């Protein structure tokens, strides 16, 4: 069992739960936290017993951004040579479905981390934003690229250029979040949603998320072709035969994730 200092890691049934845990810093993201998060993701991804992952923060903050105090003195050469932020993309390369359960602040790198997950569930207390411009910098972990795909150019520009925060209602209207949940029910709802996903064929879920994410990477025609080939491949799986047999026989499927 690995012990972590900046995150809490638990297993709930077939769901892996990662809680960002730097309460004194509103879960500001530093190298240690990202390294621990990546390590926890590696473990859950390798674990056959895990079918979906939830990443959450505290009531007050999902994450209030990259750790400003740690970044403050960084030089260009340190950022360049160390490829600052490169390791942040581990979560976007997760093959199992990942849900971000966001309450309170998801700002800067925190908003980028949430957007790197497959879907965001927002507490009614959630606040999203890319306030980097107020620090004399700009988003550096996908904010200028993922936000525009989620909310469109005008709103993405406004948020990135003014640093204005967006509440949960606005985020839902704009398409950034899947659903808003009362704050007190956020974690239960996220775990339930993850458990629903984890009860499906993991193979099907992984292929589905891979195809949906493809839409951001390629043209429509290529994406459609990629989807079709992946769809064809599903007929080689046990779970396709089992899922369809179960439907025909009016019983619950017993997926083998194969
Ligand atoms: N970094 C370091 N410490 C932080 C951060 C942060 N991002 N956010 C909050 N904290 C600390 C505060 O310094 C404070 O510590 P202390 O008690 O020692 O003074 C503690 O957390 C509590 O914060 P506040 O007292 O400020 O709490 P409030 O409720 O008054 O305010 C806010 C909450 C509005 C969220 C406020 O804390 C704030 O504005 N935080 C900064 C938000 C921000 O600018 N985020 C963007 C950071 S830049 C970034 O993410 C760049 C991303 C680039 C890619 C990734 C690079 C690694």
């Amino acid at each position: 069992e690995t012990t972590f200092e900046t995150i809490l890691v638990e297993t709930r049934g077939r769901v892996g739960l990662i809680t960002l845990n730097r309460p004194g810093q509103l879960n500001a993201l530093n190298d240690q936290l990202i390294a621990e998060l990546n390590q926890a993701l590696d473990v859950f991804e390798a674990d056959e017993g895990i079918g979906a992952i939830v990443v959450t923060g505290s009531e007050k903050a999902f994450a209030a951004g990259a750790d400003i105090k740690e970044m403050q003195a960084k030089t260009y050469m340190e950022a360049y040579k160390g490829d600052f932020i490169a390791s942040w993309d581990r979560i976007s390369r997760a093959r199992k479905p990942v849900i971000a359960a966001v309450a309170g602040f998801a700002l800067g790198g925190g908003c980028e981390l949430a957007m790197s997950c497959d879907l965001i569930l927002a507490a009614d207390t959630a606040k999203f934003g890319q306030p980097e411009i107020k620090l004399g910098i700009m988003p550096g972990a996908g904010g200028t690229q993922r936000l525009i795909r989620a909310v469109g150019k005008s709103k993405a520009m406004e948020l990135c250029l003014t640093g204005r925060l967006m509440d949960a209602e606005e985020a839902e209207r704009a398409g950034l979040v899947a659903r808003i949940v009362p704050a007190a029910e956020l974690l239960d709802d996220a775990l339930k949603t993850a458990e629903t996903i984890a009860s499906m064929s993991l193979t099907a879920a992984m292929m589905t998320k891979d195809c949906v994410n493809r839409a951001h990477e390629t043209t429509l025609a290529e994406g459609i072709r990629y989807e079709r080939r992946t769809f064809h491949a599903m007929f080689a799986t046990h779970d396709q035969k089992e899922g369809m047999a179960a439907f025909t026989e009016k019983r619950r499927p017993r997926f083998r994730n194969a």
Side-chain angles (χ1 to χ4, degrees), residues 90-103:
R90 170 68 185 86
I91 197 159
S92 68
R93 289 184 291 99
R95 299 179 72 207
K96 293 178 181 175
V98 183
I99 297 176
V102 175

Side-chain angles (χ1 to χ4, degrees), residues 142-183:
T144 65
Q145 304 301 300
R146 288 202 174 92
L147 191 61
I148 186 171
R149 284 165 164 82
V151 307
K153 175 176 157 178
S154 229
K155 198 179 277 292
M157 277 291 187
E158 194 211 355
L159 293 171
C160 289
L161 290 175
T162 68
R164 176 173 79 79
L165 307 191
M166 172 164 75
D167 67 15
E169 292 281 341
E170 183 179 359
E172 188 190 35
R173 271 201 313 278
L176 179 66
V177 311
R179 272 185 302 116
I180 302 177
V181 182

Side-chain angles (χ1 to χ4, degrees), residues 25-26 38 47 93 110 117 131 135 161 174 179 184 188 200 214 218 222 224 237 241-242 257-258:
Q25 292 81 21
L26 299 180
N38 292 350
D47 185 343
R93 289 184 291 99
C117 299
L135 299 169
L161 290 175
R179 272 185 302 116
D188 280 350
M200 309 296 175
R214 240 324 131 116
T218 190
E222 280 306 320
I224 298 280
T237 65
K241 297 290 177 288
E242 169 60 13
N257 303 321

Side-chain angles (χ1 to χ4, degrees), residues 12-249:
R12 305 273 185 98
R14 284 184 52 76
V15 177
L17 172 62
I18 301 172
T19 306
L20 309 181
N21 188 36
R22 296 186 73 210
Q25 292 81 21
L26 299 180
N27 294 331
L29 307 165
N30 61 5
D31 286 342
Q32 185 187 1
L33 187 149
I34 295 297
E36 293 185 354
L37 173 65
N38 292 350
Q39 224 180 311
L41 288 170
D42 286 343
V43 170
F44 284 148
E45 290 248 87
D47 185 343
E48 287 272 339
I50 296 294
I53 298 163
V54 173
V55 179
T56 195
S58 69
E59 236 171 71
K60 180 138 197 242
F62 178 74
D67 192 310
I68 298 166
K69 292 161 191 167
E70 284 194 19
M71 277 188 296
Q72 190 174 359
K74 208 180 259 306
T75 66
Y76 169 74
M77 281 323 298
E78 283 164 359
Y80 180 75
K81 282 190 182 164
D83 206 359
F84 184 41
I85 309 175
S87 65
W88 287 48
D89 75 349
R90 170 68 185 86
I91 197 159
S92 68
R93 289 184 291 99
R95 299 179 72 207
K96 293 178 181 175
V98 183
I99 297 176
V102 175
F105 298 109
L107 307 183
C111 187
E112 292 169 311
L113 185 69
M115 291 192 292
S116 299
C117 299
D118 296 310
L119 66 98
I120 302 176
L121 292 178
D124 47 16
T125 57
K127 286 206 181 327
F128 299 88
Q130 299 290 160
E132 288 90 340
I133 191 118
K134 294 185 181 174
L135 299 169
I137 56 164
M138 56 175 272
T144 65
Q145 304 301 300
R146 288 202 174 92
L147 191 61
I148 186 171
R149 284 165 164 82
V151 307
K153 175 176 157 178
S154 229
K155 198 179 277 292
M157 277 291 187
E158 194 211 355
L159 293 171
C160 289
L161 290 175
T162 68
R164 176 173 79 79
L165 307 191
M166 172 164 75
D167 67 15
E169 292 281 341
E170 183 179 359
E172 188 190 35
R173 271 201 313 278
L176 179 66
V177 311
R179 272 185 302 116
I180 302 177
V181 182
E185 294 160 28
L186 177 69
L187 186 59
D188 280 350
D189 193 303
L191 289 170
K192 215 172 115 208
T193 305
E195 195 57 62
T196 299
I197 294 170
S199 74
M200 309 296 175
S201 161
L202 178 59
T203 316
M206 287 170 65
M207 288 185 178
T208 301
K209 104 161 223 183
D210 181 39
C211 283
V212 174
N213 281 330
R214 240 324 131 116
H216 279 172
E217 308 282 346
T218 190
T219 63
L220 178 60
E222 280 306 320
I224 298 280
R225 269 192 283 274
Y226 189 80
E227 180 194 68
R228 192 182 306 146
R229 284 293 175 268
T230 308
F231 180 71
H232 292 163
M234 293 187 139
F235 289 86
T237 65
H238 162 274
D239 287 350
Q240 174 267 326
K241 297 290 177 288
E242 169 60 13
M244 293 191 181
F247 176 82
T248 310
E249 293 158 21

